[in-house]
Structures are given as C-alpha cells and as structure tokens.
Amino acid sequence: MKPGPERVVVFQEAGLFPWLTVLENVTYGLKLKKMPKEEAKAKALDILKMVHLSRYVDSYPHQLSGGMKQRVAIARALVMEPDILLMDEPFSALDEQTRMVLHKELLEIWRKTKVTIFFVTHNIREAVQLSEKIIVFATRPGKIKETISVPSMKDGVMPDSVTLHTEQRVLSILQEEIEKVLKEEMGNDYSFKTNHIHRDDSGDMGSHI
Amino acid sequence: MSGQITEAIGKSLGRILIGFMIAIIVGLILGYFIWRFKLVEDTLGFVVTALQSIPSIVWFPLAIIWFGLNDFSILFIVTIGATWTMTVNATSGFRNVPQLYQRVAKTYGSTGFHFLRTVILPASVPQIISGLRIAWAFSWRALMAGELLGGGGGLGQLLEMGRSLGQMDLVISVMIIIAIIGTIVDNVVFSRLERNVQLKWGVK
C-alpha cells in the first residue's frame, strides 16, 4: 500500500517547504485536491488552531522551532482528513520536553478527530504512552512478533503502573531480538546480559522483600 | 559629448538584459532535460561541460560569419557566455533537491508539471541564484569584449572610441563605470538575493 492523499505520512523531519508560509504549507495538499481557496484556508486555519499555531500562520518554517515545525507537519497531514495517519518516527529528532508536549497534543488531536494513527517508533515508552495497541516487530525479516493491547489511556506524559508494566513486557519481547542483532554484529560469544533492574509495579525496588 | 555615457550604459544594459534572459531560460530548459533523462545527461551533459570551458569571446568570429558584424552577434556571445554556466547550475540544483521534499509532495499527490513547478523549481532556487550570479559575471565580460570588437554603441564601443581619439580620460571613466555597474549588480542584487534565500531555505 502506497501513501497517498487518503493515507498521509508525517516523516521524521517535518519536511515543510521553506518557500511557503505555514498556511501555504498546510493548504498544499488541499489545493492539489482542487479545493476552493477560501474553503481550504478556513480549514487550514481551523487545524492550525488545534495544534496551537494560530499566531504563526504567516511565518516561514525557518522562523519556527523544531517542535513547531513538526506540529505544522501534523496539521498539514490532518487537514487532508485522511482515513489513516501514518507517522514515521515523527518525534525522534526532538528534545525530550518538546516530545512530551507533542505526545499530549497528539493524544488530544486523536480524541478530537478520531483519526486512526499508525505510529512507528523505536522508543518503547513513546509506544506505550500513546497507543491502544502495540505491534512489536522482529528484526530481519520484519515480521510481526507480538501484538499487545495497552489497557489504560493516559495523558501521554506521566507513566503509571500499567504503562510501566507494559513497557517491561515490550522490552522482554524485544530482548530476544536485541540478542539476535548483537550476535550478528559482534559474534556468537557476545551475550546481552539481562542485568537491568526490573521495577516492581509499585515503582519501589525491593518492595517484595 | 553630453549624454553619451548615459546612452551607452542604456544600450549595454539593454543588451545584457536580453541576452541574460535568454540564457536563463535556455539554461533552465537544458538543465531540466539533463536532470530528467539519463541519455541527455550522458550526451548533452558532457558537451555542455566542454562548451563551458570555451571563453565566449571565442565564439565571436563564428558569430560574425553567421550573423554579420552587428548587434545580433554581440547578443549571441552574451547569451552563450551565460547559458552553459546556467545549465550546469540548474542541473545540479534540480539534482540536489532534498528527497524529503519530493517524498512529501508525492505523498500529497503532486505529479508532473505541478511537481516541477511547486517543488523542484522552488527547492533549487538557492543554487539557481548562485548560477545567475556567475552567469551574470560571464555575460558582462562577454558583452564588454563583444562591444569593443563589434561596435554598435554601448560602453565597450565608447572605450574603443576613447582609444582611437587618444582620450584616456574617457577610457578610464568608462572603465570605472564598468566596475561600478558590475559591483552594484553583484553586491546589491545577487549577493543580497543569495543571502536572503539561503537564510529562508535554511541552507546556511
């Protein structure tokens, strides 16, 4: 399945056109759909309001911060009203604080628009914080290894006992894969020791003693 | 003598504007074909590199035979002086359009001429402007050489006239004017344009 106007992709880098203003960037796809100018503008302004960028409508991308650019990219995708929004590690180039804010905003957008989001990430915490369902992939060949449902729906910022537990589960599933890759890269005698400290649900080490 | 220099400046600038415009258009079109088709790149692309190393005044004898000793010959060498550089720069500009922009545009369904107009052309503007700058310098030199030999008015002709009349004051002042115009165009027009575009495009 190829990306297209019904299945829009948000890339790792925002990929905004530097020669267009924020508004023009957001209406780029709508104009391609031959939507009348006024209608496209009204729609774009609506979406930009949703990602809290109303004040930067006429700015150029080089005047925005990384997080803002990524928000414009999300707005540009959402304005197309896609059936499914594909996000390919969209926040991995951002700093931790910005990412947290964007997690929260993404969840808000998701609740408002009810769009299906397909989110690819290497960050386990990010996956757990944002998703209802996590699909863990194996290394080459990239097959689905396991599908996990995340029971609680969170605010996307604070981990709680459920998400921590899910994180541990994902990590333990991935451990085998990590081992496989490391053995491929460093030789068979290498072993990825499982000596990291597992946290209890309560978050206190040694609470079970 | 009054008004002579102004008239000559007008004439020279008129010529270079026309020649430069043609060179830009031809350069962009050739650049497009070289970028787009591998066959054209292997054939014409190679020839362009070779042609680029020929100083444009070298074309003058041929031009005189083809068009006669007139305005048209001067225009020809002005144009040909800028065309090859423009072609080379346009080609590399198109080639260096970031994959990301192309992928984004394709995701939104842009194809064909729309893709060329809204992505490839604007994305290569920084390099095209660098090309314009060099092309302008080349055609300005070609113009002076052409006018000096070809006549038909213009600053180069005025220079030649000053020489034959033994009026070194005229020669020197024309030289100064040539330098001033060259500096103004380079610093005020192209340099500023280049800086603004590079800032906006995030190249620097």
Side-chain angles (χ1 to χ4, degrees):
Chain A
M1 198 162 83
K2 273 185 153 179
E6 311 80 38
R7 299 172 290 275
V8 193
V9 186
V10 176
F11 297 98
Q12 186 173 352
E13 284 161 88
L16 303 178
F17 299 134
W19 52 89
L20 300 178
T21 63
V22 166
L23 184 67
E24 286 162 345
N25 263 294
V26 175
T27 51
Y28 183 82
L30 294 178
K31 280 184 192 151
L32 260 167
K33 277 210 291 196
K34 304 261 181 287
M35 183 180 281
K37 246 191 186 152
E38 285 307 307
E39 198 187 335
K41 193 180 166 188
K43 255 183 109 170
L45 287 175
D46 260 7
I47 298 274
L48 281 168
K49 201 169 170 190
M50 190 153 80
V51 295
H52 311 291
L53 281 172
S54 298
R55 274 165 49 211
Y56 296 93
V57 166
D58 294 317
S59 306
Y60 283 92
H62 77 273
Q63 297 164 315
L64 306 179
S65 70
M68 284 153 88
K69 279 185 205 166
Q70 206 53 270
R71 263 153 45 198
V72 178
I74 294 171
R76 177 171 66 176
L78 282 174
V79 85
M80 303 293 286
E81 293 175 347
D83 304 327
I84 179 166
L85 181 59
L86 308 168
M87 302 186 91
D88 183 10
E89 299 192 52
F91 304 147
S92 61
L94 302 174
D95 59 90
E96 191 64 31
Q97 289 91 322
T98 314
R99 191 182 316 164
M100 266 164 23
V101 175
L102 284 177
H103 283 167
K104 193 169 148 268
E105 285 193 13
L106 186 65
L107 287 174
E108 268 168 29
I109 289 168
W110 173 72
R111 286 196 191 100
K112 265 186 220 156
T113 57
K114 305 267 179 265
V115 63
T116 305
I117 301 177
F118 191 88
F119 194 105
V120 179
T121 179
H122 282 114
N123 186 328
I124 298 170
R125 174 155 294 176
E126 186 171 65
V128 175
Q129 299 283 25
L130 293 178
S131 351
E132 291 192 301
K133 195 196 268 176
I134 301 172
I135 300 170
V136 183
F137 265 71
T139 52
R140 281 154 286 150
K143 275 192 294 206
I144 292 178
K145 198 166 162 80
E146 202 163 326
T147 310
I148 304 168
S149 305
V150 186
S152 80
M153 205 52 233
K154 319 108 304 219
D155 59 359
V157 182
M158 290 298 282
D160 59 20
S161 61
V162 182
T163 60
L164 275 178
H165 182 74
T166 318
E167 257 179 67
Q168 282 175 5
R169 240 186 96 194
V170 176
L171 194 60
S172 64
I173 295 166
L174 280 174
Q175 212 135 67
E176 204 180 300
E177 300 302 320
I178 298 171
E179 201 113 8
K180 208 165 95 192
V181 171
L182 286 175
K183 283 217 162 101
E184 250 172 52
E185 284 173 1
M186 312 205 202
N188 276 327
D189 52 337
Y190 190 89
S191 126
F192 178 60
K193 275 266 187 187
T194 54
N195 57 357
H196 62 275
I197 302 156
H198 272 289
R199 281 189 172 205
D200 200 22
D201 282 357
S202 65
D204 293 323
M205 278 188 286
S207 61
H208 59 284
I209 298 173
Chain B
M1 291 292 275
S2 71
Q4 219 176 357
I5 286 186
T6 336
E7 198 194 314
I9 292 176
K11 198 144 197 182
S12 290
L13 285 181
R15 276 188 186 128
I16 199 169
L17 269 181
I18 299 169
F20 195 49
M21 286 293 176
I22 301 173
I24 293 170
I25 294 164
V26 174
L28 285 176
I29 293 172
L30 288 181
Y32 168 75
F33 281 108
I34 294 174
W35 165 71
R36 187 75 182 70
F37 303 106
K38 185 85 180 74
L39 181 73
V40 183
E41 185 192 340
D42 290 342
T43 51
L44 186 69
F46 179 75
V47 177
V48 166
T49 322
L51 287 172
Q52 199 195 3
S53 57
I54 302 176
S56 53
I57 192 68
V58 170
W59 287 93
F60 207 45
L62 262 185
I64 292 171
I65 289 176
W66 286 339
F67 312 114
L69 192 56
N70 53 24
D71 250 13
F72 210 79
S73 292
I74 298 175
L75 205 59
F76 177 76
I77 62 161
V78 169
T79 308
I80 216 153
T83 303
W84 311 127
T85 317
M86 202 54 224
T87 308
V88 170
N89 270 281
T91 311
S92 88
F94 296 154
R95 214 173 269 153
N96 291 330
V97 174
Q99 277 296 322
L100 183 63
Y101 298 156
Q102 303 188 33
R103 272 182 16 221
V104 167
K106 294 217 163 115
T107 299
Y108 289 94
S110 174
T111 48
F113 183 69
H114 182 271
F115 181 63
L116 188 71
R117 185 175 59 82
T118 62
V119 182
I120 298 298
L121 267 180
S124 44
V125 159
Q127 186 129 23
I128 288 175
I129 288 177
S130 307
L132 290 182
R133 198 174 171 180
I134 306 168
W136 194 87
F138 278 174
S139 49
W140 185 237
R141 281 158 181 71
L143 176 72
M144 288 309 130
E147 284 180 348
L148 203 61
L149 298 173
L155 283 170
Q157 180 64 38
L158 209 56
L159 208 56
E160 169 64 15
M161 197 168 93
R163 184 201 62 82
S164 55
L165 294 177
Q167 274 187 347
M168 281 308 119
D169 53 343
L170 183 62
V171 172
I172 301 288
S173 31
V174 170
M175 282 174 68
I176 292 172
I177 289 169
I178 292 173
I180 289 174
I181 294 178
T183 316
I184 288 176
V185 173
D186 195 64
N187 275 317
V188 178
V189 183
F190 290 118
S191 204
R192 189 174 291 179
L193 206 63
E194 204 171 17
R195 229 176 309 127
N196 287 347
V197 163
Q198 278 176 345
L199 179 77
K200 192 166 153 188
W201 263 240
V203 183
K204 256 182 195 161

